[in-house]
Amino acid sequence: MAISRRTFLKTSIATAVATGGGLAIYPATQIFDDSDVEVIPHACHWGPFNAIVKDGVLVGVQPRAELDAMPTEMLTEGLISRLYDKTRVKYPMVRASYLADPQGDTKPHLRGKEPFVRVSWETALSLVANAIQSTATNHGNEAIFSSSYGGWSHAGLMRPQVLQGRFFNLIGGQSTTTGDYSGGASQIILPHVIGDMEVYSPQTAWQVIEQHTETFVLIGCDPWKNNRIEFRVADHQMYDHWKSFAEKGIKFISINPQRTRTDNELNADWVRIVPNTDTALFLAMAHHAYINDLHDQEYLKRYTVGADKFIDHLMGKEDNVVKSAEWAAPITGIAVEEIQAMAKLFATTKTQFAAGWSLQRANHGEMTHWAIINFAAMLGKIGKPGEGVGFSWHYGNGGMPQSGKALPIGLSQGKNPVTATCPASRISDMLLNPGKRFTRDGIEYTYPDIKMVYNAGNNLLSHQQNTNELIHALNQKVETFVCQDPWWCASSRYADIVLPATSTLERDDLSSGGTYSNDKIYAMRQVIQPYGESLDDYEIFRRLASIFNVEDKFTDGLSYQDILKRAYHASAATLPYEEFLQAGVAFLPVPEEANQWVRHGDFYQDPENAPLHTTSGKIELYCQDIANFAVKDCPPVPTFLEPFEYLGNAKPNQVHVVSPHPYNRVHSQMANADVRKYENVQGRQYVLINKEDAQRHGIRSGHLVEIFNQRGRTIAGAKVSDQIMPGVISLEEGAWLQLDSQGRCNGGSINVLTSSQASSELSQANSANTCLAFIQRCRDHESANMAFKPPKIIQQQTEVAVNSMTTTLANHTQEGGNQQSLGEALFYQRCTLCHSAKDPKQYTKSQWHGITKSMFPRAGLSPTEREEVMAFLEANAKDAQPL
């Protein structure tokens, strides 16, 4: 792994790149003979590639055609432009007022407004350690909160949130999030309904779809766009199969407020629907199927429970509202005849339903996917080849056959001594209401009283809904906000202490691809030296571990390279490690039988011996578990409940704002890359607006517009189109935040508009796509978008002295090793490699059996180890008998 160590930081980055010959996209067939050119394999969210390095500078990217079927601009252009962008954090930084009095009046209201001071790593880490120690000493470890909830920071094993969890769990723990923003509502409701989270489950193999499916229904689902990126490494292998589906004659129907890229590529019929009304549509189609004898009565008897109560609901037995097409038409905006025609088409052809996650990011979002499942079950579709329901076709190249092989095993987080938790989308509520009780999935929790927030590899101020509320909450309640990140994103700019982390190109790591196929392991070899004084996340937490006297436990007594080698050898790969590093990839063969795998197929073939992991073992059209919870805003049968905001209760001139995943970003990642030039309007996030709405408001393509409601205001660039229905605008999430003097986001960030209200008390998930706002031409913007201009930096003439504090937290951390069963130890060692470990009591025994089907192979557990872990989970599950 010889890597060039030529120093180029003595000159400016721009000069160094120019000296290296400029930037280039190299064809996969090009061979480099120059002795001063290095070709180094790497991999990322956007795909695998060869890095072309000259004199220590990354000068080009060479996609690997044998691995990546469709390299995107994010890989070929964005990767380099982002790496050398002026938004990189070069040195450890501390907000001026915080540095002046770190344990006194730090003036939190100046976060995001005042300059930063450059300090040494020793000073920065001393300040962090002092904050950790004093917070834990004065308030307990639960007063330290990890907002590093997700694993999207980069594609490697050494993700910052995992390393953060490992470090804090060694010194007494931290409060953490539970659930996520992506599929928060469905991951709670669907285990009760169909026995698995579904939103993170593999899909029927593409060969089965090609052989059997006649109608493919996309419901808020855009696989052409969303599969461009991956949680680990994207290889874009499904795209040719999507094309072959259309060429074969499979009919695509897209139910969506806007026409998507997938719709255009596959020539889908577009059915426009009022946002947040999909539940009403599927109830109406179920009603039409029932009254016209299009339903499958025998299927309902054998594979479902609660059909009688669901049918009673459709017929209005309790609420006197018949869920007919006539009832749904004014709610959904879809004509009666079209609703009835779709119900008949879906009932009489082999139909696969593919629903996106965006549907359930809404008020009462639990109802939507459930309604789709009930309708598909009414038609007798679920589990049949080429038919049924799938909620992850748009993610992880769903549809690719699965290898089922073990993947590399990195450092685990271990068991967190702190049990306090907060749903991912409820952080503002937690900060503003310490001690407040709330329920999630029938379990009661209490918010901790947070004094310190540690944010590593996660742009909190982009993810969280109602940004202004979050900023207020941080300023009112949080004494120290640490952000560990390579870039001056909003979370860095609003932090007190900023620790510059390297990008993956400046460190070694391992990864794998794809999410479901699990058929490749990638070497992410270091390409260039760390930028400025940045350190990789492992080294940052190793240094903190050293301060707290737990370094040996943090590292397992191994060198970094030995940790990676151990991780690789824990996988099913057979290629020798040194050969793997040279090749950059090791392949995991996919068994032939995987090509004919059908989602829920075992259940359909033999429901008695292969039951679903629901309470009944069947599809629950009416769910007694949910009825027992008695949650006021989540009934036990799919029900259309009026959202707190939608076009059905909008004020005159209000529009519904939907916020899909972006085309050229991973959430806010890549916002600072040059690829924004392809879609931005006047340097800002674009907003898609229908021609009729644009004409009414005097807006033309290229104009700046202001979008506003009671929660905030944002400025975006207009794109006028017939690809979105009237009354709806589309503003992709993830734009970087920059507030002007009027408090408006000058870059088009959606979350200054979205509500932090929970989907329901069942899931406590986010409702980002339930959002009304006004739109008008913006004629008073104050400047260009300044989100990508670094904050003012003060160069300190002399190093700031930081009072030392004796760190004692590790002394109070209980080892608990001898008290843990083998299953418990394995669970916290091997099942915490992406997110923090789930509390076993969050799921029932049966649900754990469903969830671990995909978890265990990725954790590399042997059959005996799986039995041990399952015994631990069953003994501590929600429905376990108390000791």
Side-chain angles (χ1 to χ4, degrees):
M1 294 184 65
I3 296 174
S4 172
R5 299 295 181 182
R6 298 182 181 93
T7 302
F8 62 86
L9 292 175
K10 293 180 181 179
T11 59
S12 71
I13 292 296
T15 301
V17 173
T19 303
L23 307 180
I25 304 168
Y26 292 96
T29 55
Q30 182 162 340
I31 298 174
F32 298 89
D33 295 323
D34 298 346
S35 60
D36 60 345
V37 172
E38 293 180 273
V39 180
I40 303 173
H42 200 79
C44 59
H45 288 314
W46 304 279
F49 64 98
N50 286 326
I52 311 304
V53 180
K54 187 172 184 178
D55 295 328
V57 179
L58 177 64
V59 297
V61 165
Q62 183 183 46
R64 300 187 64 172
E66 79 279 18
L67 299 175
D68 188 348
M70 191 192 73
T72 72
E73 316 85 63
M74 290 179 282
L75 174 67
T76 57
E77 300 176 47
L79 194 73
I80 294 179
S81 68
R82 182 175 82 136
L83 177 67
Y84 293 130
D85 191 69
K86 61 187 176 184
T87 54
R88 281 297 299 267
V89 183
K90 296 181 182 180
Y91 313 106
M93 298 286 181
V94 183
R95 187 170 58 83
S97 293
Y98 187 93
L99 185 63
D101 191 8
Q103 294 181 322
D105 182 11
T106 62
K107 299 180 174 58
H109 64 282
L110 294 180
R111 288 175 180 146
K113 300 176 182 177
E114 67 174 336
F116 283 84
V117 181
R118 176 183 172 182
V119 299
S120 67
W121 271 106
E122 181 181 13
T123 296
L125 293 180
S126 294
L127 287 168
V128 173
N130 280 350
I132 293 171
Q133 178 71 45
S134 61
T135 302
T137 300
N138 296 329
H139 308 284
N141 275 68
E142 74 170 24
I144 303 168
F145 179 70
S146 169
S147 58
S148 317
Y149 91 99
W152 278 99
S153 51
H154 60 75
L157 288 181
M158 297 301 189
R159 290 183 172 93
Q161 92 287 354
V162 173
L163 299 169
Q164 178 182 336
R166 183 175 180 83
F167 162 66
F168 275 102
N169 291 349
L170 289 170
I171 62 168
Q174 59 183 342
S175 295
T176 60
T177 59
T178 187
D180 58 40
Y181 295 92
S182 297
S186 283
Q187 67 182 244
I188 295 299
I189 190 71
L190 294 190
H192 295 284
V193 172
I194 200 167
D196 197 355
M197 292 182 186
E198 295 296 325
V199 288
Y200 302 127
S201 299
Q203 305 302 283
T204 295
W206 67 265
Q207 291 95 325
V208 178
I209 298 296
E210 190 169 82
Q211 293 164 10
H212 296 278
T213 303
E214 296 172 327
T215 304
F216 201 111
V217 187
L218 300 159
I219 313 135
C221 182
D222 191 1
W224 209 271
K225 177 192 66 179
N226 287 11
N227 275 317
R228 284 162 59 88
I229 54 90
E230 254 272 27
F231 179 74
R232 286 174 291 183
V233 180
D235 60 11
H236 308 111
Q237 296 300 323
M238 270 298 293
Y239 283 84
D240 283 343
H241 303 310
W242 286 110
K243 291 178 182 178
S244 71
F245 294 164
E247 291 168 358
K248 180 180 179 292
I250 294 176
K251 182 179 182 62
F252 283 89
I253 294 178
S254 177
I255 302 169
N256 203 312
Q258 66 182 102
R259 187 168 177 83
T260 68
R261 293 176 189 264
T262 303
D263 300 343
N264 291 331
E265 293 287 345
L266 303 180
N267 195 29
D269 292 347
W270 179 28
V271 178
R272 305 191 303 186
I273 186 171
V274 170
N276 290 190
T277 67
D278 301 85
T279 300
L281 170 64
F282 280 87
L283 292 178
M285 289 195 294
H287 173 269
H288 185 76
Y290 177 71
I291 64 173
N292 288 280
D293 202 26
L294 296 171
H295 65 298
D296 189 332
Q297 188 64 39
E298 292 304 311
Y299 187 99
L300 292 176
K301 288 179 180 179
R302 189 176 186 194
Y303 298 99
T304 76
V305 296
D308 53 341
K309 292 182 179 179
F310 177 58
I311 292 169
D312 284 349
H313 179 67
L314 296 177
M315 302 306 294
K317 291 290 181 66
E318 292 186 357
D319 59 7
N320 295 316
V321 177
V322 178
K323 312 308 181 295
S324 63
E326 290 78 7
W327 163 79
I331 296 173
T332 62
I334 303 172
V336 170
E337 296 76 16
E338 190 165 13
I339 294 173
Q340 294 171 340
M342 284 194 296
K344 182 177 181 180
L345 173 67
F346 302 155
T348 56
T349 59
K350 294 180 179 179
T351 303
Q352 172 70 51
F353 297 96
W357 299 345
S358 59
L359 304 174
Q360 49 86 67
R361 289 195 286 268
N363 192 210
H364 312 301
E366 298 83 0
M367 299 292 105
T368 309
H369 285 173
W370 191 2
I372 295 169
I373 289 170
N374 278 24
F375 176 57
M378 286 280 288
L379 303 183
K381 302 288 186 184
I382 297 175
K384 294 180 179 179
E387 302 193 75
V389 292
F391 300 99
S392 201
W393 283 100
H394 63 291
Y395 168 69
N397 282 278
M400 289 301 295
Q402 307 161 62
S403 78
K405 302 296 194 302
L407 302 179
I409 299 170
L411 291 172
S412 68
Q413 296 186 48
K415 186 174 183 178
N416 187 356
V418 170
T419 59
T421 190
C422 173
S425 62
R426 308 297 290 145
I427 294 174
S428 299
D429 191 40
M430 172 193 68
L431 294 177
L432 293 170
N433 300 285
K436 176 183 174 181
R437 294 184 178 183
F438 66 96
T439 60
R440 181 176 182 268
D441 202 15
I443 302 173
E444 185 173 273
Y445 300 89
T446 302
Y447 284 140
D449 189 359
I450 300 303
K451 302 298 181 183
M452 179 180 183
V453 173
Y454 201 115
N455 187 86
N458 175 44
N459 194 355
L460 173 63
L461 272 81
S462 173
H463 274 129
Q464 187 75 11
Q465 284 69 52
N466 198 340
T467 308
N468 289 318
E469 179 187 57
L470 174 63
I471 293 172
H472 169 74
L474 288 168
N475 292 348
Q476 288 293 312
K477 298 294 184 178
V478 175
E479 297 171 356
T480 301
F481 181 16
V482 179
C483 187
Q484 182 172 312
D485 203 275
W487 288 279
W488 283 112
C489 63
S491 297
S492 298
R493 298 175 77 113
Y494 277 81
D496 300 315
I497 304 169
V498 181
L499 305 179
T502 62
S503 73
T504 63
L505 290 160
E506 300 146 67
R507 63 176 89 162
D508 290 314
D509 208 337
L510 301 180
S511 188
S512 58
T515 294
Y516 303 124
S517 60
N518 293 332
D519 59 355
K520 303 178 191 73
I521 299 173
Y522 291 105
M524 300 171 63
R525 287 176 49 188
Q526 184 176 352
V527 172
I528 62 170
Q529 290 184 359
Y531 183 95
E533 292 181 3
S534 59
L535 298 174
D536 66 75
D537 296 292
Y538 175 86
E539 178 62 16
I540 294 171
F541 285 115
R542 185 200 65 77
R543 293 188 184 190
L544 284 171
S546 178
I547 294 173
F548 283 89
N549 301 310
V550 292
E551 179 181 358
D552 195 56
K553 294 176 183 176
F554 181 81
T555 64
D556 273 350
L558 298 173
S559 69
Y560 183 80
Q561 293 300 332
D562 284 341
I563 291 170
L564 294 183
K565 187 180 295 186
R566 181 182 67 178
Y568 178 79
H569 288 309
S571 76
T574 58
L575 188 67
Y577 186 62
E578 292 302 323
E579 293 183 30
F580 160 69
L581 294 178
Q582 292 302 315
V585 63
F587 294 94
L588 302 177
V590 177
E592 184 62 33
E593 58 268 23
N595 295 320
Q596 294 301 315
W597 188 80
V598 176
R599 178 118 200 100
H600 310 116
D602 290 345
F603 167 67
Y604 175 68
Q605 292 295 331
D606 190 352
E608 287 75 29
N609 292 312
L612 298 176
H613 297 289
T614 58
T615 299
S616 65
K618 298 182 178 183
I619 303 166
E620 305 215 353
L621 308 189
Y622 173 98
C623 184
Q624 190 59 48
D625 287 349
I626 303 301
N628 294 342
F629 291 156
V631 179
K632 62 182 180 182
D633 52 359
C634 186
V637 66
T639 305
F640 175 70
L641 302 169
E642 183 174 305
F644 60 80
E645 295 178 5
Y646 85 121
L647 291 179
N649 54 30
K651 297 176 182 177
N653 289 324
Q654 277 190 315
V655 292
H656 195 119
V657 190
V658 295
S659 46
H661 187 277
Y663 186 70
N664 269 328
R665 294 194 298 269
V666 176
H667 303 309
S668 70
Q669 290 186 55
M670 284 284 173
N672 56 335
D674 284 352
V675 291
R676 64 179 181 269
K677 67 189 177 187
Y678 291 111
E679 295 192 303
N680 278 13
V681 173
Q682 293 196 41
R684 295 164 175 85
Q685 172 62 49
Y686 79 90
V687 59
L688 202 65
I689 180 172
N690 180 270
K691 292 179 178 179
E692 295 176 21
D693 294 326
Q695 185 175 16
R696 185 166 64 254
H697 292 285
I699 295 169
R700 296 197 301 269
S701 288
H703 282 167
L704 291 183
V705 296
E706 185 172 344
I707 311 164
F708 58 96
N709 58 21
Q710 69 274 24
R711 293 177 288 270
R713 311 173 80 91
T714 194
I715 299 172
K719 284 188 178 181
V720 179
S721 173
D722 59 2
Q723 302 287 289
I724 191 166
M725 65 184 287
V728 181
I729 63 174
S730 180
L731 186 66
E732 291 180 345
E733 54 92 6
W736 277 20
L737 181 74
Q738 184 246 315
L739 299 180
D740 67 11
S741 67
Q742 300 179 51
R744 302 176 299 184
C745 176
N746 194 31
S749 177
I750 176 62
N751 276 332
V752 301
L753 303 174
T754 54
S755 170
S756 63
Q757 182 170 326
S759 176
S760 81
E761 290 185 6
L762 178 78
S763 68
Q764 299 290 347
N766 80 80
S767 55
N769 279 316
T770 299
C771 180
L772 292 178
F774 297 94
I775 186 169
Q776 63 186 20
R777 177 102 180 260
C778 180
R779 302 177 184 274
D780 64 341
H781 65 281
E782 299 176 355
S783 69
N785 181 11
M786 308 294 284
F788 310 116
K789 180 180 179 182
K792 182 178 179 181
I793 307 298
I794 299 174
Q795 299 291 337
Q796 196 79 4
Q797 296 300 315
T798 58
E799 186 58 37
V800 177
V802 179
N803 293 330
S804 61
M805 177 181 288
T806 303
T807 53
T808 60
L809 296 182
N811 298 336
H812 300 302
T813 303
Q814 295 183 359
E815 297 289 339
N818 296 329
Q819 301 170 6
Q820 288 184 321
S821 68
L822 176 60
E824 181 178 10
L826 285 168
F827 177 71
Y828 288 110
Q829 287 170 5
R830 306 275 278 277
C831 303
T832 61
L833 305 178
C834 295
H835 300 278
S836 59
K838 298 284 186 184
D839 186 340
K841 72 177 181 182
Q842 289 186 346
Y843 297 101
T844 65
K845 298 174 189 178
S846 182
Q847 289 169 349
W848 272 119
H849 278 275
I851 292 166
T852 53
K853 277 188 174 181
S854 58
M855 184 175 78
F856 281 169
R858 294 173 194 169
L861 295 172
S862 69
T864 301
E865 289 172 332
R866 296 182 188 194
E867 290 179 5
E868 293 285 350
V869 173
M870 188 54 68
F872 163 69
L873 294 174
E874 288 184 339
N876 294 274
K878 184 188 295 187
D879 56 346
Q881 293 296 322
L883 298 176

